[in-house]
Amino acid sequence: MTVKEMRRGRNFINPLRDNALGTKVADPCILVIFGSTGDLTARKLLPALYNLAHDAQLPSHFACVGFARRDKNDDIFRQEAKEDINKFSRNNPVDENLYKNFGTQLYYHQSTFDDDEGYKSLDAKLKELDSRLGTKGNRIFYLSTQPSFFPTIIKKLKKN
């Protein structure tokens, strides 16, 4: 099968679907979004995560940690996420019953990208979430930042 045929949907096999068992759901994990207070997170990432939850595609043991420098806490991050989802999600308005659970999976971590202490405290937060949620150290790091920050973030993650 050619790439063109795959793009057109001919004989396309979704690797996340097991026809015998139905749709597979991702393994338990924690998604860390660097630059979580930016436009990409508000318009695309958080609505996409909510839509996955809406469609029962998120693992039951899941958390999303926003990492950014703005002065916020979990509650403010969750409220702003709800507002963004209401504006930009394909599934709106927000289903209040669904959001009660989804919102509890959102966390905020304040730090600058070049601060070692911020990464150390992030590590402690992730370990605590692992213990509580059973995510087994599975991490996804999403860099929703300017590319000029990529080297700094990657070096700090490796170091800390």
Side-chain angles (χ1 to χ4, degrees):
M1 174 175 8
T2 67
V3 173
K4 274 188 177 177
E5 288 173 326
M6 288 177 66
R7 286 188 186 139
R8 289 188 188 133
R10 293 185 189 140
N11 301 319
F12 179 73
I13 298 171
N14 183 338
L16 297 177
R17 183 176 295 276
D18 180 345
N19 291 330
L21 301 174
T23 302
K24 288 185 180 179
V25 176
D27 290 336
C29 66
I30 299 173
L31 169 66
V32 180
I33 302 174
F34 288 87
S36 62
T37 57
D39 197 53
L40 176 64
T41 301
R43 290 178 175 270
K44 300 292 182 183
L45 300 179
L46 290 173
L49 289 172
Y50 173 79
N51 290 335
L52 287 171
H54 183 272
D55 297 341
Q57 295 290 306
L58 277 183
S60 57
H61 301 285
F62 171 82
C64 175
V65 177
F67 186 111
R69 66 176 182 229
R70 292 187 187 156
D71 186 21
K72 295 183 183 193
N73 59 31
D74 293 343
D75 292 331
I76 293 170
F77 185 61
R78 290 170 180 156
Q79 182 57 41
E80 289 176 355
K82 186 177 181 181
E83 292 167 10
D84 294 335
I85 291 164
N86 263 323
K87 283 185 207 171
F88 302 114
S89 173
R90 64 178 155 80
N91 292 302
N92 58 22
V94 167
D95 178 327
E96 293 297 329
N97 288 328
L98 175 64
Y99 196 81
K100 281 180 189 175
N101 182 55
F102 179 75
T104 64
Q105 296 173 307
L106 302 177
Y107 300 89
Y108 186 77
H109 185 77
Q110 182 184 4
S111 180
T112 59
F113 300 139
D114 61 353
D115 180 16
D116 284 324
E117 292 305 313
Y119 288 85
K120 289 176 184 172
S121 59
L122 174 66
D123 182 50
K125 180 178 229 160
L126 295 177
K127 286 177 180 172
E128 185 271 321
L129 288 171
D130 275 337
S131 174
R132 191 161 35 97
L133 300 175
T135 50
K136 304 175 185 175
N138 293 330
R139 311 266 191 271
I140 301 170
F141 296 106
Y142 192 102
L143 279 58
S144 180
T145 66
Q146 295 175 7
S148 61
F149 290 117
F150 291 4
T152 300
I153 294 169
I154 292 166
K155 287 176 188 172
K156 296 295 182 181
L157 282 171
K158 181 180 179 183
K159 179 179 177 183
N160 296 291

